[in-house]
Amino acid sequence: MYINDVKLSPLLVAQASESYQSGTTVNRWVEVLVDCPGSTGLFTYRLPAQLEIKPGDILSVPFGAQQLGAIAIRLLAQPNVDLPPEKIREVEDIVSVGFFPSAYWELLNRVAAYYYTPLIQVIRVALPPGLLGRSQRRIRLVGGREAGGREQGAGSRRTRGPHGVGIGGEGAGGGSYLLASPDPLAFLTPTARQVWELLQAQPAGDYSFVYIQQKVKSAYRGIRELLRFGLVESYLEPPRLTRPKLQKAVTLTGTIDHDLTTRQREILEVLRRHGGELWQNELLQICNASSSILKTLAQKSYIVIEEREVLRTEQGPALAGDVAKSLTVAQASALETIQTLDGFAEVLLHGVTGSGKTEVYLQAIAPLLNQGKSALVLVPEIGLTPQLTDRFRARFGNKVSVYHSALSDGERYDSWRQMLTGEPQVVIGTRSAVFAPLPNLSLIILDEEHDSSFKQDSPIPTYHARTVAHWRAELENCPLVLGSATPSLETWVSVRRQGAGGLGAPTEWGLGERGLLAGGAGEEFLAFNSSASTLYLSLPERINFRPLPPVEIVDMRQELQQGNRSIFSRSLQEALQQLQERKQQGILFIHRRGHSTFVSCRSCGYVLECPYCDVSLAYHHTEEKAPELLRCHYCNYARSHPKFCPDCSSPYLKFFGSGTQRVTQELARQFPELRLIRFDSDTTRNKGSHRTLLTQFANGEADLLVGTQMLTKGLDLPQVTLVGVVAADGLLNLSDYRASERAFQTLTQVAGRAGRGNDPGRVIVQTYTTEHQVIAAVRSHDYHSFSQAELQQRQALNYPPYGRLILLRLSSLDPIQVQNTAQIIATTLNTEEEIEILGPAPASILRVANRYRWQILIKFAPDALPQLPDWEEVRSLCPQSVSLTIDVDPINIM
């Protein structure tokens, strides 16, 4: 039952010592947070005598006509006086015991408060899939697909309808009359007959209520009629929760005796030679036997067959052991500083590409594992985890596990449970791994901390892993290391404001300044942060004093004037030719995947667009002689390429722009001897494909790696001597205040892939705007001059890191309603003091997946700490058909 007067922010889990003990009546009720959209507050349930429940347990509870996941919050000796005891329902079961320790619970509360998200939504992100399950109502034929249960005498049955409402009451007479008829279906309404026929066509005669609703109009009436006549029954399917994977194991128990056949002796001998234990399927395969012979041996007590858990973990290749490498002076100094930290501190490890940041991470973690402690390493992209994981596993063996969305639900569930054991371990993962439940967490590392992939745009909570990692390190009282060759301007300014100035001397944070640097939800944020120290550590040179690769800027305007109409400049063509001759390897970076950016009619100018989004369709070439395919990069809509213009029927349709597919085709035409590997989201969709492609390239099976943003994120490929950027302008000309910062980071990072081995590197950047400040900074690898110029512009416009932003994203299927709602909200917000409202305005792409999108940007100076709007009041202004997302500290405002 619902309790009206409970405030949820912040919730504190009661002490575990207040657990309900079977046989006592001290605490007979529990308040839970239920995983149900739209429900707020706490709900009270009765504790079954057979269950011992503690605060922090993950439970399964009945809720309306469903079974839902829930979190036990606190135990009660008496329920709320307003609740009739007979209406309080019992907890169904315990899904996971004692998961939420106090520091972890505080972290979830901070995320919920700062990002204006219901706490249960944050819990969903923190837990692996399948722990918070949801039941569903299903309808099935009574007695299978045969007579619909005539033998059961239908009318006497009373059951619950799809929404948990009791259905029945026609009495046995109506059902008996119907079933005694020569043609029972003749008495059914058309709706009921449609439902009946749908169920009859299914082998099991069983469908979910939701599916039947989708297939039959007004299905509820038909189902109610069939229930009344006893032809179908309604039941609740329990939540499909992720469970441990069990597999049969065979164990040898006795000595070989005389009552055995020759075949049985052979099987026992095989088992003995394998240490007396094997998985059943493995033993049957080795012996080419059937399971019946094992059952006979088990009956004779020579073996025991039992189910055991098999851990579902990501399988990496066998790796040779690795040892700690000798460090440069700068590396050794950085390592010493990190290892001397006692308690929370934020460290910026600013090292140029190839300076050995990963080796510093490895040597900082090693002593922690020896002390029985754990470490968390976050990376921006799944594509980066195989290479980094291999380096860590070569050093630390099976103490390394991975956690990211590309794992199966079972793998994530098993990895999550392994963390709870408290064993010393290293977890490597993407942004969601910031919630990894490591009990003895002693170090958090954010590699490539500048990367925008650490920010979640949707669904809520729209958290940034760097912000959450800061809070977590603070709560766990451990260091947070932020590593990058091109630090985010937020991190850079925070270091400068602390007076570190490159000297690496820690200073104390001020509370007001801290609020300014990281941003926060008004006064709430200040309560989340105590004073803390920050450090700046620099790795200014590459390993073995290897030089940073020279960057050659090619003006494509001059190339065109001089008669070169190819997408490759003459300089890049020459470099690619030399790759073949010298048997070296290179990387080619392209801003977009696909073949061409858009397809246009040369007669009338018509551009083929997505029918569901306001964007052009990109051409994707699948394989030779395959149909030409046009695809939307926003909703994944696809269609075949038309032979004639849909507007004027002209046959002259042309592909414009260059994606990875077109570049690879052009390379194959101009350099047929070059072996290519394409590395983008089209070629890495399948599980394990990142590792496969990178391994092939590292093994010398290709000369050139052609790809998109994935190539820029920390890949360490020592054999690469050439990096080419086909069109840098695609990064520069975006309508986003962060466009210059992103472009500089991307180009600098991709340039840093060259020359990391013994051979010197070379970088060629093709652009039509050679005079751009980003291009000039990339040419000289000059982060300091770029950051200084960029920060001046940000300060003048009061943009982060000097100002704070909150972006309201509204979307709806109705273009008029979403526009009107945006206008109403903006008008309401304009009454707030100390905040600047930009908009409402349509999003840069107005329509995506048939939803029309509008935006309102709220800008304010954080040192003023304005009283921010009441977001529940703002949400109440949205009709049900309009979705509102509150994005705090947005990275992407397009």
Side-chain angles (χ1 to χ4, degrees):
M1 299 297 293
Y2 180 56
I3 300 176
N4 292 310
D5 59 350
V6 174
K7 292 184 179 179
L8 277 181
S9 182
L11 279 173
L12 294 176
V13 174
Q15 293 300 313
S17 59
E18 297 180 31
S19 62
Y20 169 69
Q21 299 295 329
S22 181
T24 71
T25 56
V26 177
N27 294 312
R28 296 184 55 200
W29 293 270
V30 62
E31 288 183 331
V32 305
L33 196 62
V34 178
D35 179 23
C36 182
S39 73
T40 57
L42 298 180
F43 294 82
T44 302
Y45 285 84
R46 181 178 285 106
L47 295 173
Q50 73 275 15
L51 293 183
E52 187 174 324
I53 292 173
K54 298 186 178 109
D57 288 352
I58 301 171
L59 311 175
S60 179
V61 298
F63 191 83
Q66 308 179 75
Q67 269 180 271
L68 300 179
I71 313 298
I73 301 299
R74 52 180 166 253
L75 299 162
L76 303 174
Q78 292 293 331
N80 190 299
V81 292
D82 298 333
L83 297 177
E86 67 276 7
K87 291 195 174 181
I88 300 177
R89 303 167 78 178
E90 276 197 350
V91 172
E92 186 75 27
D93 202 357
I94 299 174
V95 176
S96 183
V97 177
F99 170 62
F100 295 98
S102 58
Y104 194 90
W105 191 251
E106 170 66 11
L107 177 73
L108 300 182
N109 272 289
R110 288 190 183 190
V111 174
Y114 185 77
Y115 292 104
Y116 308 111
T117 303
L119 181 58
I120 193 66
Q121 289 282 105
V122 181
I123 292 171
R124 281 190 205 124
V125 172
L127 296 179
L131 271 185
L132 292 177
R134 183 163 298 163
S135 61
Q136 65 171 342
R137 177 67 54 185
R138 297 187 71 85
I139 308 297
R140 65 185 168 204
L141 294 173
V142 173
R145 294 176 61 225
E146 301 306 322
R150 297 181 188 183
E151 68 281 358
Q152 298 193 29
S156 61
R157 178 180 303 276
R158 181 176 177 87
T159 185
R160 287 192 173 273
H163 300 294
V165 180
I167 296 175
E170 285 295 315
S176 301
Y177 176 76
L178 175 70
L179 295 171
S181 304
D183 181 11
L185 299 186
F187 291 90
L188 296 177
T189 61
T191 303
R193 190 176 301 153
Q194 274 184 279
V195 175
W196 171 270
E197 290 169 352
L198 184 68
L199 290 166
Q200 281 283 348
Q202 210 265 357
D206 188 325
Y207 273 125
S208 72
F209 175 70
V210 172
Y211 179 78
I212 296 174
Q213 272 188 315
Q214 291 171 351
K215 293 295 181 183
V216 180
K217 189 177 181 182
S218 303
Y220 183 76
R221 293 174 187 166
I223 290 170
R224 186 168 54 187
E225 185 178 341
L226 294 170
L227 285 167
R228 191 168 63 240
F229 289 124
L231 295 174
V232 301
E233 62 183 357
S234 169
Y235 70 99
L236 201 62
E237 182 183 51
R240 295 179 180 176
L241 304 175
T242 306
R243 298 291 186 192
K245 181 182 179 182
L246 300 177
Q247 194 169 306
K248 287 183 178 177
V250 182
T251 307
L252 185 65
T253 59
T255 56
I256 300 175
D257 210 338
H258 299 292
D259 63 338
L260 296 172
T261 65
T262 305
R263 183 69 172 136
Q264 289 171 342
R265 288 173 183 274
E266 288 174 359
I267 291 172
L268 292 179
E269 183 60 27
V270 168
L271 197 55
R272 186 186 63 78
R273 288 202 305 267
H274 284 80
E277 215 168 51
L278 274 174
W279 295 114
Q280 179 176 293
N281 56 0
E282 193 178 346
L283 179 60
L284 294 176
Q285 192 173 5
I286 294 171
C287 300
N288 194 21
S290 65
S291 57
S292 60
I293 195 168
L294 295 185
K295 288 177 184 175
T296 304
L297 287 169
Q299 289 167 1
K300 292 181 177 182
S301 300
Y302 285 105
I303 61 172
V304 172
I305 303 173
E306 59 182 354
E307 285 196 326
R308 294 187 193 168
E309 184 181 350
V310 183
L311 285 176
R312 293 158 289 195
T313 55
E314 185 191 52
Q315 297 300 315
L319 299 167
D322 185 27
V323 295
K325 295 174 174 58
S326 58
L327 302 179
T328 65
V329 174
Q331 282 178 308
S333 174
L335 177 63
E336 183 183 1
T337 303
I338 293 170
Q339 289 181 332
T340 55
L341 294 173
D342 183 19
F344 171 69
E346 190 171 82
V347 178
L348 172 59
L349 183 60
H350 184 193
V352 297
T353 55
S355 59
K357 293 185 289 293
T358 305
E359 185 63 29
V360 174
Y361 303 155
L362 288 164
Q363 295 196 30
I365 290 170
L368 299 178
L369 295 176
N370 294 332
Q371 296 163 24
K373 299 175 181 178
S374 295
L376 175 62
V377 181
L378 301 178
V379 294
E381 285 276 357
I382 293 167
L384 186 53
T385 53
Q387 193 177 40
L388 197 68
T389 303
D390 287 351
R391 285 197 64 180
F392 273 75
R393 281 187 175 145
R395 191 72 59 90
F396 303 128
N398 59 7
K399 291 182 179 179
V400 178
S401 59
V402 295
Y403 192 80
H404 53 69
S405 60
L407 300 177
S408 68
D409 287 357
E411 286 173 335
R412 290 177 74 182
Y413 176 66
D414 285 355
S415 296
W416 181 81
R417 287 191 306 122
Q418 280 293 102
M419 298 174 207
L420 294 175
T421 63
E423 293 291 318
Q425 56 192 295
V426 182
V427 171
I428 302 175
T430 48
R431 64 173 177 254
S432 62
V434 74
F435 298 105
L438 290 165
N440 301 312
L441 184 57
S442 297
L443 179 64
I444 302 175
I445 295 169
L446 244 80
D447 194 29
E448 310 296 342
E449 67 85 27
H450 64 275
D451 200 283
S452 59
S453 299
F454 282 123
K455 178 71 162 68
Q456 175 149 308
D457 290 329
S458 66
I460 58 172
T462 57
Y463 69 97
H464 198 300
R466 185 177 60 229
T467 304
V468 179
H470 179 97
W471 294 336
R472 182 141 195 216
E474 200 173 39
L475 289 165
E476 301 281 357
N477 197 30
C478 71
L480 168 65
V481 177
L482 307 174
S484 179
T486 53
S488 64
L489 292 179
E490 285 83 355
T491 300
W492 184 247
V493 168
S494 75
V495 169
R496 286 175 52 192
R497 280 196 175 140
Q498 292 310 305
L503 300 176
T507 56
E508 291 297 312
W509 291 98
L511 278 180
E513 290 238 315
R514 187 68 197 102
L516 174 64
L517 297 176
E523 294 175 2
E524 293 174 0
F525 182 75
L526 293 182
F528 291 165
N529 292 276
S530 59
S531 60
S533 60
T534 185
L535 292 162
Y536 174 73
L537 304 176
S538 178
L539 303 178
E541 293 181 335
R542 283 185 158 187
I543 299 294
N544 296 330
F545 302 103
R546 294 186 184 110
L548 288 168
V551 179
E552 178 185 344
I553 307 298
V554 178
D555 191 336
M556 294 302 287
R557 295 168 296 190
Q558 292 184 7
E559 291 287 314
L560 189 62
Q561 289 171 7
Q562 293 167 11
N564 179 18
R565 297 185 178 275
S566 168
I567 57 176
F568 306 123
S569 63
R570 288 166 300 174
S571 180
L572 185 54
Q573 290 179 37
E574 178 191 342
L576 291 170
Q577 193 68 48
Q578 289 174 356
L579 264 190
Q580 283 181 283
E581 296 166 359
R582 297 174 183 173
K583 301 192 182 305
Q584 294 174 333
Q585 288 184 303
I587 285 177
L588 217 52
F589 171 75
I590 297 96
H591 180 51
R592 290 178 60 105
R593 63 190 171 99
H595 181 282
S596 299
T597 310
F598 64 96
V599 181
S600 176
C601 173
R602 296 172 71 181
S603 299
C604 71
Y606 178 84
V607 176
L608 276 79
E609 293 186 338
C610 174
Y612 307 110
C613 310
D614 291 336
V615 294
S616 58
L617 294 172
Y619 169 54
H620 282 245
H621 177 82
T622 50
E623 57 187 44
E624 291 301 324
K625 299 183 181 177
E628 295 176 325
L629 194 67
L630 303 180
R631 187 179 296 281
C632 173
H633 285 183
Y634 285 82
C635 72
N636 217 29
Y637 165 82
R639 62 158 292 175
S640 59
H641 177 56
K643 291 184 178 179
F644 302 98
C645 171
D647 198 44
C648 72
S649 301
S650 166
Y652 302 113
L653 294 169
K654 186 180 177 183
F655 303 131
F656 290 85
S658 301
T660 48
Q661 281 188 325
R662 185 180 170 198
V663 170
T664 51
Q665 284 184 1
E666 191 65 21
L667 284 167
R669 187 182 67 80
Q670 289 195 40
F671 306 95
E673 301 296 320
L674 271 181
R675 298 167 300 162
L676 310 173
I677 290 179
R678 226 177 91 215
F679 193 69
D680 58 22
S681 55
D682 286 335
T683 61
T684 55
R685 291 184 191 277
N686 297 329
K687 187 175 178 179
S689 50
H690 292 95
R691 180 188 295 279
T692 301
L693 293 177
L694 288 175
T695 301
Q696 289 174 355
F697 188 70
N699 291 340
E701 296 176 32
D703 307 306
L704 199 60
L705 195 61
V706 182
T708 52
Q709 303 278 1
M710 293 182 196
L711 296 176
T712 70
K713 306 195 180 190
L715 295 179
D716 187 20
L717 301 164
Q719 64 274 36
V720 170
T721 58
L722 171 68
V723 166
V725 178
V726 172
D729 306 273
L731 294 166
L732 300 171
N733 303 317
L734 297 173
S735 55
D736 186 345
Y737 77 95
R738 290 184 184 268
S740 291
E741 182 184 4
R742 280 205 199 99
F744 175 80
Q745 289 166 343
T746 300
L747 294 173
T748 301
Q749 291 284 344
V750 75
R753 302 312 109 201
R756 297 165 79 97
N758 295 325
D759 295 328
R762 180 184 182 189
V763 180
I764 299 172
V765 178
Q766 298 182 170
T767 177
Y768 288 89
T769 50
T770 54
E771 63 280 0
H772 200 288
Q773 66 167 24
V774 168
I775 299 298
V778 169
R779 187 203 302 264
S780 54
H781 300 278
D782 191 351
Y783 175 83
H784 294 270
S785 66
F786 165 77
S787 61
Q788 186 175 357
E790 182 67 13
L791 284 171
Q792 285 177 357
Q793 294 183 25
R794 298 275 187 96
Q795 193 166 25
L797 297 171
N798 198 30
Y799 274 112
Y802 298 102
R804 278 201 61 218
L805 301 176
I806 294 176
L807 180 66
L808 306 186
R809 292 192 177 97
L810 297 97
S811 72
S812 175
L813 294 170
D814 186 333
I816 304 300
Q817 193 164 41
V818 70
Q819 181 177 352
N820 290 344
T821 303
Q823 190 62 59
I824 291 168
I825 290 175
T827 303
T828 304
L829 293 177
N830 267 319
T831 61
E832 303 280 345
E833 295 181 4
E834 298 179 334
I835 63 174
E836 181 183 352
I837 305 298
L838 303 180
S844 58
I845 299 173
L846 174 61
R847 189 173 53 118
V848 172
N850 250 358
R851 294 189 70 86
Y852 294 85
R853 311 184 308 155
W854 280 69
Q855 297 182 163
I856 302 169
L857 191 64
I858 302 172
K859 189 161 72 164
F860 56 93
D863 51 350
L865 292 175
Q867 193 63 39
L868 292 173
D870 180 341
W871 294 115
E872 288 309 311
E873 187 180 318
V874 172
R875 287 185 193 279
S876 69
L877 299 173
C878 290
Q880 211 166 16
S881 60
V882 177
S883 165
L884 169 65
T885 299
I886 301 168
D887 190 352
V888 180
D889 304 329
I891 294 290
N892 178 19
I893 62 171
M894 293 179 66

